[in-house]
Amino acid sequence: MELPFEKTVSRFWQQKLYAPVIREETQEYKLPEGMPDIERVIAAWGQVVLRGKEWRSHHIGLTGGVMVWAIYAAADGTVRRIESWMPFSARTEHSHEGEEGVIRAECVLSGVDARTASSRKLMLRCQLGLLVQTMVPREATIYAPGELPGDIEVLERTYPMILTRETGEKSFLCDERLELPQGTGTIEQLLYYRLTPRVTEQKVLGSRAVFRGTGMLHLLCREEGGRLRSLELELPFAQYLDLEGDYEEGAEVSNLLAVTSLEAEPTDDGGIQVRCGLVSQYIINAPTVIRCLEDAYSPLRELELVREEVKLPAWLDEQVRQVELQERLAGEGIPVDQIFFPEPCMVTRLPEGAEIRMGGSFQTLCRTEAGELVGKSQKASQTVSLVTSCDTIPCTWLRGGAKARREGSGWMVEQTVESRLSSLCTKPLQMVTGIRAGELRDPDPERPSVIIRAKRGEETLWDIAKVCGSTVSAIQRLNKLEREPEDNRLLLIPVI
């Protein structure tokens, strides 16, 4: 006899790929007519821009570019600025053939430099770290028994877990005039600028998710009279997302922002006009309770159980780790501008956890006592340990800008690097999906009414009741138990 079971379908998104793509792009830049010859390169900077994501049958493609700026000491004694666009195209192989999903990408510019190839030519080089995550839709069928005969004992368990219920993206534009700090002179020229967006607050409200954040705009400008000034301005933003689902309390949104365009220019009234494009690459994680029938038996008949293993990708916890990176500036000079190029956080699996490497490069522009501008670059990194048995998904943030402080006869540059570390674990659930029940049989008249037996090792009351032909509730009543007994305790087992 086939016993009735009810089916419900649980739909979710599963991470299929998480892979770093490291790129190095180079470009030959020829000075335009009218610009003086190069005597020496001083420094270079950049801003990475994500333009497109492409899902192909065998690979994931990312396209974009790096806005590159460099300054050089010219043969005529002046300091000149050049600007270029360095396109990139990156791909990573995958095995998603026949599937369609969503791509999330974190684009990290890890370094920019410029070198003299000739008096009229520069070689520009950029180091890119692209972290590619793909999510694909999945569904699992959960089986629950209907009305069962009274002689059948069932073991059911509930598993609270957090599943990704939705994923998508939304592009938006910011066009704001930003005030300059008091004391800033008239700006003649922007030498470079960089925007670092960061979400500061986000929540799910039913069928909408809202978030707000700040884009930290770092720029180096030349004021009237030739003085160089480094500035950091805040570009606030707030957005909402229309969601497909309607979520209850406990659902959370996780946002990954990328810059898709950026322009900045001084205004006639002494401000900075900023126009930038951002894309919110979001996932919605919601708490879910999965109830499974794990085992069943009857003291009065034979049962044949149909079993199935269901694997669900659950997000466990999220940790935020910060490291303070410091490096001492060698040689003479007073810092005029400092910026930090982060590297993508690299995860190394260990037997009992993981190591997360967080680091990057300081790029500092200094002015010597003789008034000469000199660019300096120093690498810095730290490794933090994480106790986990699951996959770790890092996302890198810079908290504030790079700072320089006097230390003894030199200078120390420092930067706080923050990483949000999410733990993703695929939990296999053993589930009974069907029961075939035999005919009821009469109890054996020679069976004992009570068995005296000790609890052994890791066995549970369920195990004892199943072996001895009893029930958990009957054993608990007779032995006045409220929980699992201690090892080797003698138990009275009533036989049904």
Side-chain angles (χ1 to χ4, degrees), residues 324-327 362 401-405 412-416:
E324 302 290 337
L325 299 178
Q326 297 181 338
E327 283 296 321
F362 288 97
K403 305 296 182 185
R405 58 180 172 83
M412 186 70 72
V413 287
E414 49 195 17
Q415 171 73 59
T416 301

Side-chain angles (χ1 to χ4, degrees), residues 200-450:
T200 56
E201 183 182 357
Q202 54 189 349
K203 63 176 63 176
V204 177
L205 301 171
S207 61
R208 276 189 170 181
V210 296
F211 65 92
R212 68 176 71 243
T214 301
M216 186 62 69
L217 181 69
H218 181 97
L219 54 88
L220 179 66
C221 60
R222 180 186 283 120
E223 295 178 328
E224 196 173 41
R227 180 187 174 188
L228 299 186
R229 182 185 286 269
S230 177
L231 298 172
E232 285 198 343
L233 308 175
E234 292 188 355
L235 175 67
F237 56 82
Q239 288 288 314
Y240 68 86
L241 308 166
D242 285 319
L243 305 177
E244 295 178 0
D246 193 356
Y247 299 94
E248 298 179 356
E249 186 177 357
E252 295 183 348
V253 56
S254 178
N255 239 311
L256 184 60
L257 295 178
V259 176
T260 57
S261 64
L262 181 62
E263 295 179 38
E265 59 184 5
T267 61
D268 294 336
D269 58 355
I272 296 290
Q273 190 70 33
V274 181
R275 290 175 290 274
C276 74
L278 297 171
V279 60
S280 159
Q281 306 165 97
Y282 65 89
I283 60 175
I284 305 296
N285 294 325
T288 305
V289 176
I290 303 295
R291 190 175 185 87
C292 295
L293 176 62
E294 290 196 347
D295 200 5
Y297 73 93
S298 171
L300 303 178
R301 70 175 93 197
E302 295 294 329
L303 299 183
E304 181 183 346
L305 305 183
V306 180
R307 300 180 185 273
E308 186 176 320
E309 183 179 84
V310 177
K311 293 184 177 180
L312 297 174
W315 295 96
L316 298 184
D317 63 350
E318 189 170 89
Q319 302 183 38
V320 175
R321 294 294 182 92
Q322 290 185 5
V323 297
E324 302 290 337
L325 299 178
Q326 297 181 338
E327 283 296 321
R328 186 178 177 84
L329 290 181
E332 298 179 353
I334 298 175
V336 175
D337 176 74
Q338 48 277 330
I339 197 168
F340 184 78
F341 290 111
E343 295 175 351
C345 287
M346 303 305 293
V347 180
T348 303
R349 294 292 304 165
L350 300 174
E352 298 181 355
E355 283 187 346
I356 316 296
R357 183 179 180 275
M358 302 163 67
S361 300
F362 288 97
Q363 186 123 314
T364 307
L365 182 66
C366 296
R367 187 180 295 278
T368 67
E369 292 182 1
E372 188 177 65
L373 289 174
V374 178
K376 299 177 182 293
S377 181
Q378 297 98 354
K379 282 188 171 292
S381 66
Q382 278 192 36
T383 300
V384 298
S385 297
L386 187 68
V387 178
T388 179
S389 59
C390 301
D391 292 336
T392 302
I393 313 301
C395 185
T396 307
W397 304 96
L398 300 182
R399 183 171 286 279
K403 305 296 182 185
R405 58 180 172 83
R406 175 73 72 177
E407 185 174 277
S409 59
W411 293 83
M412 186 70 72
V413 287
E414 49 195 17
Q415 171 73 59
T416 301
V417 179
E418 183 176 292
S419 185
R420 185 179 67 234
L421 307 169
S422 302
S423 297
L424 177 62
C425 183
T426 301
K427 186 174 184 62
L429 305 180
Q430 302 295 330
M431 186 183 308
V432 175
T433 60
I435 299 177
R436 298 185 184 93
E439 297 295 325
L440 284 170
R441 61 174 180 265
D442 293 330
D444 184 355
E446 298 184 2
R447 77 189 189 285
S449 58
V450 175

Side-chain angles (χ1 to χ4, degrees), residues 14-89:
Q14 181 177 15
Q15 176 181 285
K16 193 71 180 289
L17 173 71
Y18 185 82
V21 181
I22 308 301
R23 297 281 300 177
E24 182 173 292
E25 301 289 342
T26 59
Q27 184 185 74
E28 185 179 272
Y29 181 89
K30 296 180 180 179
L31 294 184
E33 291 292 331
M35 289 193 71
D37 289 352
I38 303 166
E39 187 173 278
R40 63 180 178 86
V41 176
I42 299 172
W45 305 272
Q47 166 73 54
V48 64
V49 172
L50 178 65
R51 287 286 173 82
K53 299 180 289 185
E54 189 177 43
W55 186 294
R56 292 289 190 179
S57 58
H58 295 288
H59 73 269
I60 300 298
L62 301 178
T63 56
V66 181
M67 302 163 63
V68 178
W69 301 271
I71 57 175
Y72 69 93
D76 63 0
T78 61
V79 173
R80 297 302 180 104
R81 166 189 182 269
I82 66 102
E83 180 178 357
S84 185
W85 169 258
M86 187 180 296
F88 72 80
S89 177

